[in-house]
Amino acid sequence: MENTKELSSLTKLATTAVSRRKVLTGATAVAATAALAACGKKEEAASAAPAVSTGGSTITLKMQGAWGANDIFSEMAQLYVNRVNEMAGGRLKIEYLPAGAVVKPFEIIDAVSKGVLDGGHHVSGYWYGKSKVASLFGTGPVNGATPEIGLSWIYRGGGQELWDKLVTKLNLNVVGFFTFPMPSQPLGWFKNRPPQKGADLKGFKYRTIGLAADLMQELGMAVAQLPGGEIVPAMQRGVIDAFEFNNPTSDMRFGAQDVAKYYSMGSFHQAQEFFEIVFNKDKYNSLPADLKAILKYAAEAASTASTAHAHDNYSKDLQELIVKHKVQVSRTSADVYKAQLAAWDKVVAKLDKEVDMFKEVNDSFNAWAKRVAFYHFTNESDYRMAYEHVQKTKLPR
């Protein structure tokens, strides 16, 4: 059964973006609405019973994401919002707004802290300008941890407590939760054949964010930190000549294939990342305990839903990029990986000494990765071997 309430909220999101920003017009707006509606159709149907209120008015929280209405990340934000709204039974409601509806993507943490917004959905790398430590809670140095191991550090390894300590030090009036262990991000898009040697990265004008900017600068790239919606225009104007964003679906939806035809998959620049969901601390603390719990644990529920949504869409859209758009997809070379590791060593050694809390947080994550990843990689099956045997298909190398 189609979840009409959810479908309505998803469609409203797309049309809100059109009216507020006038970014999507014509066929693009239709595509955005259709994509969001499709997400709603695939969600589990809500209970047929009416929402029960304990009396009094509904508490409404305004949450803005860092993502355009057409981005799959807005659909994933809506997966979180849907779960909160259904579990709250009419007592609490989140209204989700896409990027730029109130503030720019990189301004979300400040807007939430000051109460301009009640909540935000973004990644920690988007406020790395306040402290480079922020990027350790998502786009940090590679240490052998998979995205899933990284998110488990947040939940069980002390990461959440260190994040709480950091925002307190920075006088940010927020609480936050983490969700969705993102697949490793591609090295990105190039107009010509991607570099095969680490030394060949030197001289590229490249878009990335967070500590990945420090890494790529160490490798000789000129880095521009841009939100997703500014990437293609920057490429067209020559401000950048190569870029990464996150995944095949987001990249294809904003038109990466129209400005570049070479896509290098896999990288150590952002090998684990998660969404960061933040709320104004005063607003959050004013809520009853059960509604606080819903805001917190809905992030865990949305993590599973977002992972399934990503696997479905990323895989289909990678094939569409290859077959329909004639994009040349390859694996990032071993030499580039090795150059990234050597560069990370230099970046981390410098920041350990210069940035308050950097060593404390990075050491905590590394200790978790050393123990947990040892178990993981010692026990993990050779899935590539099984895939090539069963599917009778050789994977890119």
Side-chain angles (χ1 to χ4, degrees):
M1 180 178 70
E2 179 177 293
N3 183 346
T4 55
K5 181 185 296 183
E6 185 164 328
L7 177 57
S8 174
S9 66
L10 290 163
T11 304
K12 180 180 178 182
L13 168 60
T15 55
T16 298
V18 176
S19 62
R20 288 179 184 246
R21 299 299 313 280
K22 298 183 180 179
V23 173
L24 303 173
T25 58
T28 307
V30 173
T33 304
L36 290 165
C39 176
K41 290 178 181 178
K42 291 182 180 180
E43 277 279 74
E44 294 181 0
S47 169
V52 177
S53 174
T54 58
S57 60
T58 299
I59 301 168
T60 300
L61 303 179
K62 301 285 187 180
M63 169 185 280
Q64 184 191 301
W67 330 112
N70 195 39
D71 195 321
I72 192 170
F73 286 170
S74 274
E75 295 168 15
M76 293 177 181
Q78 193 68 51
L79 294 177
Y80 171 77
V81 169
N82 294 342
R83 280 153 180 74
V84 170
N85 291 351
E86 289 186 24
M87 287 189 285
R91 295 168 56 216
L92 174 68
K93 177 184 178 182
I94 295 178
E95 290 186 1
Y96 176 74
L97 304 169
V102 179
V103 297
K104 295 178 180 179
F106 290 175
E107 298 172 353
I108 287 175
I109 193 82
D110 278 334
V112 174
S113 180
K114 295 173 182 176
V116 175
L117 292 166
D118 300 316
H121 187 283
H122 61 175
V123 291
S124 60
Y126 275 20
W127 53 280
Y128 139 109
K130 291 185 173 297
S131 170
K132 292 189 177 184
V133 181
S135 197
L136 293 174
F137 299 95
T139 56
V142 66
N143 57 14
T146 65
E148 293 76 16
I149 291 171
L151 188 57
S152 71
W153 168 69
I154 298 286
Y155 286 153
R156 293 292 298 271
Q160 182 70 62
E161 291 77 9
L162 287 166
W163 185 90
D164 294 343
K165 179 179 177 179
L166 176 64
V167 297
T168 299
K169 276 199 166 203
L170 295 174
N171 294 315
L172 290 170
N173 189 37
V174 296
V175 296
F177 312 113
F178 292 81
T179 183
F180 180 42
M182 299 181 189
S184 297
Q185 296 177 34
L187 181 65
W189 293 82
F190 298 82
K191 292 183 177 180
N192 300 301
R193 187 168 179 262
Q196 298 302 298
K197 300 289 185 181
D200 296 337
L201 294 170
K202 187 174 182 179
F204 277 96
K205 294 179 291 184
Y206 183 81
R207 179 273 175 195
T208 189
I209 64 158
L211 281 170
D214 297 62
L215 171 70
M216 295 312 198
Q217 287 168 348
E218 181 65 35
L219 289 166
M221 287 180 148
V223 175
Q225 300 202 48
L226 304 170
E230 297 180 19
I231 293 174
V232 167
M235 193 82 162
Q236 291 169 332
R237 297 195 310 270
V239 175
I240 56 173
D241 51 33
F243 63 90
E244 64 80 34
F245 180 68
N246 190 280
N247 64 80
T249 299
S250 293
D251 294 354
M252 187 174 73
R253 289 188 187 182
F254 68 60
Q257 69 279 2
D258 297 330
V259 292
K261 289 296 184 183
Y262 291 86
Y263 197 21
S264 186
M265 304 293 289
S267 179
F268 284 149
H269 77 283
Q270 289 176 339
Q272 70 273 317
E273 189 172 17
F274 337 104
F275 289 136
E276 180 183 85
I277 298 171
V278 291
F279 291 97
N280 177 272
K281 191 172 185 177
D282 295 334
K283 179 73 73 169
Y284 177 81
N285 285 338
S286 71
L287 297 174
D290 62 330
L291 295 184
K292 289 181 185 177
I294 287 172
L295 291 178
K296 178 179 179 179
Y297 294 115
E300 295 182 15
S303 197
T304 301
S306 295
T307 297
H309 197 53
H311 285 171
D312 183 22
N313 284 274
Y314 295 1
S315 60
K316 287 188 298 188
D317 290 334
L318 181 61
Q319 291 304 313
E320 183 170 339
L321 286 169
I322 295 169
V323 176
K324 180 179 178 181
H325 298 288
K326 310 303 179 187
V327 171
Q328 301 296 306
V329 173
S330 61
R331 285 279 296 166
T332 296
S333 73
D335 194 83
V336 169
Y337 274 119
K338 290 175 182 178
Q340 288 179 327
L341 288 174
W344 269 131
D345 288 344
K346 295 178 182 178
V347 169
V348 170
K350 182 174 183 289
L351 296 179
D352 273 352
K353 296 176 182 178
E354 296 180 356
V355 178
D356 181 41
M357 280 191 68
F358 193 94
K359 189 175 189 305
E360 179 184 6
V361 176
N362 198 41
D363 284 353
S364 173
F365 194 2
N366 279 338
W368 181 261
K370 185 174 183 178
R371 172 166 63 86
V372 179
F374 180 88
Y375 159 73
H376 173 79
F377 292 117
T378 302
N379 185 62
E380 185 180 43
S381 298
D382 191 333
Y383 292 108
R384 283 185 70 100
M385 178 191 294
Y387 179 90
E388 293 184 344
H389 174 80
V390 174
Q391 304 298 339
K392 304 296 187 289
T393 301
K394 288 292 183 182
L395 292 164
R397 298 183 186 277

